Amino acid sequence: MKKVLIFFLSLNVIIVNAQEDNQASVNDFNFESTANPAFTIIEESPTAINTPDNLKSLALYVTNGFSEGNIALETNPYWLIPNTKDKSYKDYRGLRTNNKGKYVIDPILKPIQTNSSFSLAYTNKAFEGFEEEKKLIAIGLRTTLLQLYSRKQTDKLVNILSDVGQPYANAALNKYNSVLVFSNLIVTREMADEYVKNKTIPKNYIDTANTVLSQNPEFKSVYTDGKSLATAYFNDISQRIVKFYYNPKNIKPILRLDGAVAYSLLFKENTFSSNSAKRLGGWFTLDLALPFNDKNYFHLYAISRYIDNGFNIDAEQNYFDTNFWDIGGKLELELGKFNLSYEYLQRDGDDEQYRSVGNITYQINKKMSLTGGFGKDFPISDNNLVTIIGINWALTSGESVTSK
């Protein structure tokens, strides 16, 4: 029985500033990418369906622990290449006006720019017929080639961003906001969540509101004390932050086409100076996303993958090449904190060759999620099982965009 235990570690980042410019970090959104092409080509990933969701400037993947040396890095050039102008959320999402003056979302160029990543992997792995584990390195590239949004989705996104950028209701709130920004007192997403849940306002924000009222007594006709001013402000800013952080992220393209290529070398004598065997692969994934509501989706994936595989060995320990196509699909339910999915791939040329794996992902919080699954991964016999366990969490970085 073949067992693969995958310990999946993602290193990404969260920095939150949501106030005058409603600045946000794309990293505050869940890190949904559970695999990269460099690991997929050497069969060290929990899923064969690669979708470049919410890529970070840098992500770290580890399988079977650091001691085994199984590690992959993935980077997104969009966040690393300097930009002479501030990145806006409209630019990040590809929002632009057409010749009729209506907002549309760029279906091709912008997703290629923002959803492209490079990955590099190193691992030790045993393949069928080999007497011992072999050292492998792999590189990969993936991107979104096409994304299509409905008119309703586009208008909803535009309306959310327009509402977030509106001035506050009166002069007192605008003045209070200016003082907070000047004092670097930023209402973060965590503060907004806490206020929505428990109506909690930090004391220093109330103290600042009292100072604003003492220096501007004309505002006291509307707000009698600092708490009432701070409460009115938190009512407004919390709604803006919640809209900006959660609703735009939950607006997914109804149809998306992703592409990936990867190349791997296997070192025959387990030294980098020894001869090597190669494996090359390329694949396309089509995603049809059907919304239940603003947060829950049902995904239908279709995948076509070509592999030129040199990781084969005969009884005399001679290497040889094979090539094949994998055709299949995946069903996935996004249900709040849970993602439930099942994928199946059929390999041409042999009815016994297939991948049948179920997965479950639980979002513990915005920084951490757990992934688990089991099934059969192209078994030669009925006992070829794959067991998947993973963890994904985030640290801090400055990948931010503004709503304007």
Side-chain angles (χ1 to χ4, degrees):
M1 175 171 55
K2 175 186 175 185
K3 285 190 176 181
V4 179
L5 177 62
I6 295 180
F7 178 81
F8 173 80
L9 168 67
S10 318
L11 186 59
N12 55 68
V13 251
I14 296 179
I15 239 187
V16 178
N17 288 322
Q19 207 144 324
E20 186 174 38
D21 287 332
N22 293 294
Q23 192 180 47
S25 170
V26 173
N27 285 304
D28 191 48
F29 304 142
N30 295 343
F31 183 43
E32 298 174 348
S33 183
T34 57
N36 65 71
F39 258 171
T40 302
I41 192 68
I42 53 180
E43 300 170 358
E44 283 288 342
S45 64
T47 176
I49 310 296
N50 268 261
T51 54
D53 288 348
N54 190 28
L55 294 172
K56 309 303 179 190
S57 61
L58 182 66
L60 173 67
Y61 301 76
V62 177
T63 72
N64 296 331
F66 280 103
S67 61
E68 297 294 330
N70 302 339
I71 189 170
L73 291 172
E74 185 171 28
T75 182
N76 179 1
Y78 177 78
W79 296 114
L80 297 180
I81 298 174
N83 197 338
T84 56
K85 63 178 182 179
D86 292 335
K87 290 185 172 75
S88 70
Y89 195 77
K90 286 183 179 179
D91 177 71
Y92 176 73
R93 291 298 291 257
L95 274 170
R96 58 178 175 79
T97 54
N98 60 16
N99 54 11
K100 296 181 180 179
K102 288 189 175 182
Y103 273 105
V104 294
I105 297 178
D106 186 344
I108 298 176
L109 296 181
K110 186 54 65 173
I112 290 176
Q113 180 186 4
T114 59
N115 279 352
S116 294
S117 74
F118 297 94
S119 53
L120 174 67
Y122 170 78
T123 188
N124 294 286
K125 185 177 176 63
F127 291 92
E128 189 71 33
F130 287 79
E131 297 178 353
E132 61 179 359
E133 290 185 344
K134 297 294 184 180
K135 297 184 184 300
L136 299 98
I137 60 172
I139 58 174
L141 166 67
R142 62 174 166 176
T143 190
T144 297
L145 299 169
L146 174 70
Q147 62 180 14
L148 298 176
Y149 290 83
S150 68
R151 170 49 53 190
K152 182 179 179 180
Q153 288 176 305
T154 304
D155 290 344
K156 181 177 181 180
L157 182 57
V158 171
N159 291 337
I160 288 171
L161 297 180
S162 176
D163 291 344
V164 168
Q166 292 298 316
Y168 293 95
N170 55 52
L173 291 175
N174 282 296
K175 178 65 176 179
Y176 180 48
N177 178 72
S178 298
V179 173
L180 289 176
V181 172
F182 180 79
S183 304
N184 199 30
L185 291 174
I186 305 299
V187 179
T188 66
R189 178 189 57 79
E190 288 81 3
M191 290 182 189
D193 285 342
E194 182 63 23
Y195 180 78
V196 171
K197 184 177 179 180
N198 298 316
K199 302 301 180 185
T200 302
I201 302 175
K203 184 177 182 300
N204 54 339
Y205 286 79
I206 297 176
D207 293 341
T208 302
N210 281 317
T211 300
V212 170
L213 290 178
S214 66
Q215 295 175 350
N216 301 272
E218 67 274 17
F219 296 154
K220 290 185 177 180
S221 61
V222 181
Y223 303 105
T224 57
D225 56 22
K227 185 175 182 180
S228 63
L229 174 57
T231 298
Y233 180 77
F234 267 74
N235 281 334
D236 194 323
I237 191 67
S238 296
Q239 291 181 20
R240 294 174 186 233
I241 290 173
V242 168
K243 281 184 178 181
F244 183 55
Y245 277 112
Y246 300 124
N247 289 349
K249 176 61 179 71
N250 290 324
I251 299 175
K252 300 177 183 290
I254 57 173
L255 190 68
R256 190 176 78 179
L257 178 65
D258 301 317
V261 293
Y263 179 79
S264 178
L265 292 176
L266 178 150
F267 299 96
K268 296 180 180 180
E269 305 301 325
N270 274 341
T271 63
F272 290 109
S273 60
S274 64
N275 292 330
S276 60
K278 67 176 178 63
R279 177 184 282 185
L280 174 66
W283 52 98
F284 294 101
T285 303
L286 189 66
D287 174 17
L288 176 63
L290 306 174
F292 292 141
N293 49 45
D294 287 342
K295 295 183 179 181
N296 300 326
Y297 280 78
F298 176 59
H299 293 269
L300 291 169
Y301 296 95
I303 183 173
S304 176
R305 181 171 69 164
Y306 175 78
I307 304 291
D308 183 357
N309 180 32
F311 298 173
N312 304 289
I313 198 166
D314 61 22
E316 285 74 37
Q317 300 296 293
N318 297 313
Y319 287 83
F320 64 93
D321 291 336
T322 60
N323 54 76
F324 50 81
W325 284 92
D326 292 335
I327 303 293
K330 180 177 180 180
L331 305 177
E332 182 179 63
L333 282 173
E334 287 188 52
L335 301 173
K337 294 184 177 182
F338 286 95
N339 275 28
L340 308 173
S341 65
Y342 169 75
E343 66 182 67
Y344 181 88
L345 293 179
Q346 180 70 45
R347 184 158 291 175
D348 69 349
D350 191 336
D351 292 338
E352 296 296 324
Q353 290 293 288
Y354 65 93
R355 175 184 171 93
S356 177
V357 177
N359 288 290
I360 181 170
T361 300
Y362 175 69
Q363 197 73 37
I364 298 173
N365 53 46
K366 287 294 172 182
K367 299 181 182 181
M368 183 177 292
S369 63
L370 295 175
T371 302
F374 67 94
K376 295 187 177 184
D377 188 14
F378 299 112
I380 301 298
S381 66
D382 291 337
N383 295 322
N384 192 343
L385 301 180
V386 54
T387 301
I388 301 168
I389 261 188
I391 187 169
N392 162 20
W393 69 85
L395 299 177
T396 59
S397 165
E399 300 166 13
S400 60
V401 291
T402 65
S403 63
K404 295 182 179 179

